[in-house]
Amino acid sequence: CQTETNRGATALLLDNIKTPIRTESFKELYNVIPGKELGRGKFAIVKRCMEKSTGTEYAAKFLKKRRKGQDCRVEVLHEIAVLELTNTSHRMINLHQVYETLTEMVLVLEYVAGGEIFNHCVAERDEAFTQEEVKWLMRQILEGVAFLHRNNIVHLDLKPQNILLTSACPLGDIKIVDFGLSRRLCQNQEFREIMGTPEYVAPEILNYEPISTATDMWSIGVLAYMMLTGTSPFLGEDKQETFLNISQINIDYYTENELQDLSAIHFIQSLLIKEPKSRATAEECLRHHWLQEQAQKKTEENITSEICQREHAKPAPPSSYSSSSSE
Ligand code: ADP
Ligand code: MG
């Protein structure tokens, strides 16, 4: 953490945080809802909880301040600053409150009930997304990523576990979570780091070359492939094989049944390019013909009823889609 902070200090967003950091007891003010945790990472546990005074449900992310023997409070402050910056975007998770104890910081986040996009990627094919659903969700993801990139923030951990759904049926909206690895890009200053999850990282991360908004766009390409096919394009038997597959862009577009749409293949190919500068940007992706086709061919109601007929074999409730206009 120390070395990361030294190298990446300029890449942390440490503007004045407006959210008060409370020292009252979190447990006095919230009930943690018993049952399975919402998620768990190396340094964080996310639990569902209810604010006692309002009865509103939230997701509380408990973050350790000390990691590998280093004080990482500044990293958490950065995550809070990014959440504050993204609070105006409805594609990103909202921050409600922050608590601090001697050992932990607790980020009280808006709770989203539809689970991770990951669950649909690995589901049996009858529960997996249809291509129309993927396009619908991909537009929203790109709107969120375009917002981040306009604000010079790179997420650096875009993967199906960090994209949540407000509801699974009817298919709701996406919310991007987990700004723990995100960084601020500074003009005229190169920034390199080895981080992220092996399957999703771009070649420049593996080669310790400069990171840019294009680094996220590589992950968007991997995400699109996974949402369409249910398989991870570069995943090998071990880390080494995965890294080799990434650096050689060893990817199979043609034996996956679900990948028969040439527009979809073209979309993914415009992102999984070794040279970062040659990759499509988020704004360009939003204008790509693969995503444009949907708007002409399908209405929102069509998609909703399709999903619910498939999942419950009964008519769909009213659509919960929001406008897909850019933020
Ligand atoms: P980590 O840094 O440990 O990966 P995340 O912020 O990604 O932490 O949270 C871990 C998991 O917890 C997510 O992948 C998701 O499944 C769940 N989760 C996180 N935030 C929320 C939320 N606001 N509502 C519901 N589930 C959440
Ligand atoms: Mg995560």
Side-chain angles (χ1 to χ4, degrees):
C1 201
Q2 189 62 49
T3 46
E4 185 179 299
T5 307
N6 286 345
R7 271 188 278 128
T10 53
L12 294 181
L13 189 68
L14 295 171
D15 298 350
N16 282 337
I17 289 172
K18 290 174 215 80
T19 313
I21 299 185
R22 297 163 193 265
T23 48
E24 303 100 294
S25 161
F26 171 81
K27 290 230 164 90
E28 299 255 307
L29 299 165
Y30 288 82
N31 282 324
V32 173
I33 298 170
K36 212 172 149 254
E37 304 159 352
L38 293 170
R40 179 186 280 262
K42 247 190 209 154
F43 308 112
I45 301 179
V46 183
K47 295 179 184 172
R48 222 170 112 204
C49 61
M50 187 184 279
E51 193 174 36
K52 291 182 186 174
S53 62
T54 59
T56 312
E57 278 189 274
Y58 292 95
K61 182 170 179 178
F62 298 81
L63 286 143
K64 292 241 169 310
K65 288 198 279 188
R66 269 191 100 69
R67 304 171 189 176
K68 295 182 186 162
Q70 306 279 355
D71 179 8
C72 290
R73 185 174 187 269
V74 72
E75 300 272 325
V76 184
L77 294 180
H78 162 80
E79 190 166 342
I80 296 167
V82 174
L83 282 162
E84 283 186 357
L85 180 94
T86 57
N87 250 4
T88 55
S89 165
H90 55 287
R91 301 296 181 217
M92 251 68 79
I93 206 75
N94 237 57
L95 177 67
H96 175 57
Q97 285 183 332
V98 178
Y99 290 82
E100 181 166 18
T101 67
L102 263 181
T103 56
E104 282 184 323
M105 295 191 81
V106 188
L107 311 190
V108 185
L109 303 160
E110 160 193 14
Y111 168 64
V112 280
E116 301 170 6
I117 273 191
F118 181 79
N119 300 333
H120 295 260
C121 292
V122 295
E124 291 298 317
R125 291 322 285 163
D126 61 338
E127 272 183 34
F129 297 128
T130 65
Q131 181 165 195
E132 293 309 318
E133 291 162 2
V134 174
K135 289 196 222 178
W136 176 258
L137 298 171
M138 186 45 81
R139 283 191 69 85
Q140 296 193 9
I141 296 168
L142 286 166
E143 285 166 12
V145 172
F147 175 93
L148 281 178
H149 291 180
R150 278 198 299 277
N151 286 285
N152 295 318
I153 301 287
V154 277
H155 187 284
L156 299 181
D157 204 15
L158 290 170
K159 57 181 181 180
Q161 295 86 338
N162 286 337
I163 315 279
L164 308 186
L165 290 169
T166 53
S167 99
C169 182
L171 190 60
D173 293 323
I174 67 100
K175 294 281 174 186
I176 299 178
V177 298
D178 197 357
F179 297 95
L181 294 188
S182 71
R183 289 295 180 264
R184 177 177 59 161
L185 294 174
C186 298
Q187 268 185 349
N188 309 322
Q189 224 166 0
E190 282 190 350
F191 158 62
R192 299 154 206 255
E193 213 153 342
I194 306 273
M195 51 154 64
T197 312
E199 291 162 69
Y200 309 100
V201 298
E204 59 270 25
I205 301 244
L206 302 182
N207 297 332
Y208 200 59
E209 286 164 5
I211 287 169
S212 67
T213 52
T215 309
D216 278 344
M217 298 316 295
W218 172 279
S219 307
I220 293 283
V222 176
L223 200 56
Y225 188 101
M226 283 193 75
M227 288 166 79
L228 285 168
T229 67
T231 57
S232 182
F234 300 111
L235 186 64
E237 291 287 322
D238 52 31
K239 250 192 205 179
Q240 224 144 0
E241 194 182 315
T242 302
F243 291 158
L244 195 68
N245 287 339
I246 294 169
S247 60
Q248 295 177 343
I249 317 199
N250 186 7
I251 182 168
D252 181 3
Y253 288 107
Y254 300 104
T255 53
E256 288 291 341
N257 277 341
E258 290 82 0
L259 261 187
Q260 289 180 346
D261 184 323
L262 287 181
S263 302
I265 294 180
H266 183 272
F267 177 89
I268 297 169
Q269 283 177 331
S270 72
L271 296 168
L272 300 181
I273 299 173
K274 192 152 198 168
E275 171 55 46
K277 286 198 171 68
S278 305
R279 287 177 212 148
T281 64
E283 298 284 356
E284 284 165 355
C285 282
L286 280 165
R287 293 194 296 271
H288 190 280
H289 49 91
W290 180 54
L291 294 182
Q292 295 295 318
E293 280 164 14
Q294 175 197 13
Q296 288 154 17
K297 280 191 201 156
K298 288 256 179 182
T299 63
E300 293 167 5
E301 284 72 18
N302 277 349
I303 304 169
T304 312
S305 68
E306 213 172 77
I307 302 153
C308 287
Q309 276 165 18
R310 219 179 52 239
E311 292 192 3
H312 294 300
K314 66 179 186 192
S319 168
S320 72
Y321 290 119
S322 65
S323 135
S324 63
S325 61
S326 290
E327 290 155 80

